[in-house]
Amino acid sequence: MNWYREISPTEKRTLWTCFGGWALDALDTQAFSLVIPALIATWGIGKGQAGLIGGATLVAGALGGLLAGVLSDRYGRVRALQITVLWFSLFTLLSACAQNYEQLLVLKSLQGLGFGGEWTAGSVLLSETIRAQHRGKTMGIVQSAWGFGWAAAVLLYAIVFSWASPQWAWRVLFALGALPALLLLYVRRNVPEPPRDTSSATARKLDAKLPVLGIFDRSVIRTTIVGGLIGLGAHGGYHAITTWLPTYLKTERHLSVLGTGGYLAVVIVAFICGCFVSAWLQDRIGRRMNLILFALCCAVTVNLYVFLPIGDTAMLMLSFPLGFFSAGIPATLGALFNELYPQGVRGTGVGFCYNFGRIVSAGFPVLVGHMGNSMPIGSALGIDAGAAYGLVVIAALLLPETRGRTIAPVHARGEPGLSSAPAPSEQKPAAQAHRA
């Protein structure tokens, strides 16, 4: 932990602010999956209707991520973070007061806008605050907050549902999801806005455009296309696995391990470990190599899952590497996407690359189902996930290595120990950087 002692107080405060926000987002998102049975019993709705709420929240989250990126470029990183946290907290609290299914569907969808936006705004803020040599570690650590929030949701679910009846317990659990609002007070007092770079011709050119148009400027359009493909492959593989693997193991392999608390605990621990290892590794071997390594391991592990003739115990053990490797990919994307873009369009670019993939990747689970009509569902899942992670590998090879780039011109408050040099991506057009 020598690196942690090296970073400044501002860097530490920003790190833990983003960590706390992402953990609290995860708490509420995972809490919804836990209370679905209570919602079905309370309002007599079907599983399809409950699933629609979750799906609408995810789509809204992707749109919120795109919007928050634009807002962070136009109005500042800290202000965009404050807006998304306040929005998320408000509609989380209102969701606890919903009186019927239709109200909850609308409120959870609106909440999703803040949920997706918080990651984008926080990611860009952190990337421009943390010094280059430790950026990968901090971004990976923040991604691990999802696992801690997930674990907190399971713990709170057990406590609240043992204390209150189901028709009231889910409301209490949702109300606790408003806790991110407390971050606003901390952010206002302790997290400064990163400085704006106006020194380079590229920065001035892109600042003159609307951010949403700037990411399609000739100097960065290649980055936008390739980054979007990485987001598509990363989310496509993940959604194919989470959608179809439980069904495959239960219906075709007749395994019961997925219904156990032990499986859930293994997956959560594996996710956290994967984020931490990816955080350390990407600052050692680079963003591209780290992304390629975890994507290849994901493809191999998924195919072992669907083709090896193993039982419950072995499946439980194999769930650890699956969760471990799948966590390493998103833990890398934050640093990589932020380091690819000039500051004037960085928020919009990060929001697009990450969330374009989230929206379009919905086609991968559909493709598995379609292929499953003519082949075993396990074979379809292995092919589909392999193709998705293969897309990540190919797209990563088309990008430059960005490890070590300084992407903020001067650190806030002039704290010592941080480079004040402009980023390589801002010293020369992105197109030249790709050829380097």
Side-chain angles (χ1 to χ4, degrees):
M1 293 293 289
N2 289 334
W3 69 270
Y4 186 77
R5 288 191 288 269
E6 292 177 7
I7 63 177
S8 67
T10 293
E11 291 174 288
K12 292 175 182 176
R13 289 193 296 267
T14 306
L15 166 62
W16 294 117
T17 294
C18 295
F19 183 96
W22 193 230
L24 291 169
D25 280 2
L27 187 157
D28 183 77
T29 302
Q30 297 299 332
F32 173 76
S33 65
L34 296 172
V35 304
I36 286 177
L39 293 175
I40 292 175
T42 299
W43 288 326
I45 61 175
K47 294 180 180 178
Q49 290 174 294
L52 180 60
I53 296 177
T57 303
L58 290 175
V59 172
L63 296 176
L66 291 168
L67 179 61
V70 176
L71 290 176
S72 69
D73 284 335
R74 183 57 61 187
Y75 301 108
R77 317 316 191 191
V78 173
R79 184 172 297 180
L81 180 63
Q82 291 172 333
I83 292 171
T84 56
V85 169
L86 179 61
W87 185 280
F88 177 86
S89 302
L90 173 63
F91 285 101
T92 298
L93 183 60
L94 291 176
S95 296
C97 304
Q99 298 301 303
N100 53 51
Y101 167 78
E102 291 75 17
Q103 288 183 13
L104 185 62
L105 176 62
V106 172
L107 291 170
K108 290 291 287 183
S109 298
L110 290 171
Q111 177 220 41
L113 292 174
F115 155 71
E118 193 276 335
W119 184 91
T120 301
S123 170
V124 180
L125 171 64
L126 184 63
S127 73
E128 293 181 350
T129 303
I130 297 292
R131 64 192 73 190
Q133 64 267 36
H134 301 316
R135 189 178 299 120
K137 288 186 280 290
T138 56
M139 299 293 281
I141 288 171
V142 167
Q143 191 68 38
S144 76
W146 185 268
F148 288 100
W150 190 355
V154 174
L155 179 61
L156 287 174
Y157 170 81
I159 295 173
V160 172
F161 273 74
S162 66
W163 167 72
S165 60
Q167 60 266 33
W168 287 103
W170 68 266
R171 296 184 184 275
V172 174
L173 205 57
F174 279 2
L176 291 174
L179 289 175
L182 299 177
L183 279 176
L184 287 176
L185 300 176
Y186 185 83
V187 170
R188 286 179 61 87
R189 294 175 58 89
N190 297 286
V191 180
E193 177 69 23
R196 191 79 170 186
D197 173 52
T198 57
S199 60
S200 68
T202 300
R204 292 192 296 271
K205 175 184 175 183
L206 294 176
D207 275 344
K209 294 187 175 184
L210 290 173
V212 73
L213 298 179
I215 62 172
F216 297 104
D217 183 82
R218 286 180 57 189
S219 62
V220 293
I221 189 170
R222 185 174 183 273
T223 292
T224 299
I225 293 173
V226 178
L229 291 176
I230 289 179
L232 172 60
H235 288 101
Y238 176 81
H239 290 313
I241 293 170
T242 55
T243 300
W244 285 107
L245 188 60
T247 299
Y248 163 73
L249 293 177
K250 287 182 179 180
T251 60
E252 294 191 12
R253 299 286 293 275
H254 308 292
L255 300 179
S256 59
V257 65
L258 291 181
T260 67
Y263 174 83
L264 187 61
V266 168
V267 170
I268 292 174
V269 172
F271 182 91
I272 294 173
C273 291
C275 287
F276 274 103
V277 172
S278 178
W280 175 81
L281 202 57
Q282 63 186 285
D283 277 338
R284 302 278 294 187
I285 66 175
R287 319 305 190 212
R288 286 199 313 167
M289 186 58 66
N290 192 64
L291 192 60
I292 291 169
L293 174 64
F294 276 91
L296 289 174
C297 289
C298 272
V300 171
T301 308
V302 171
N303 280 279
L304 290 177
Y305 240 93
V306 298
F307 291 119
L308 283 182
I310 55 180
D312 271 13
T313 302
M315 191 62 67
L316 182 62
M317 295 175 62
L318 195 57
S319 63
F320 185 91
L322 183 63
F324 179 92
F325 292 127
S326 63
I329 296 175
T332 311
L333 297 182
L336 174 65
F337 288 159
N338 275 285
E339 291 166 348
L340 287 171
Y341 283 95
Q343 192 176 39
V345 294
R346 181 168 294 130
T348 307
V350 171
F352 176 85
C353 291
Y354 194 84
N355 293 289
F356 167 80
R358 291 176 69 184
I359 295 173
V360 182
S361 65
F364 278 84
V366 176
L367 181 60
V368 173
H370 180 73
M371 294 169 62
N373 293 326
S374 57
M375 66 176 67
I377 197 69
S379 300
L381 177 57
I383 294 171
D384 198 62
Y389 290 123
L391 179 61
V392 173
V393 172
I394 294 171
L397 291 172
L398 298 175
L399 291 175
E401 176 53 55
T402 61
R403 178 181 53 158
R405 283 191 178 180
T406 304
I407 61 176
V410 181
H411 189 262
R413 297 181 182 175
E415 291 184 354
L418 299 184
S419 171
S420 60
S425 60
E426 293 165 9
Q427 290 173 334
K428 56 185 177 180
Q432 295 179 25
H434 287 304
R435 292 194 293 267

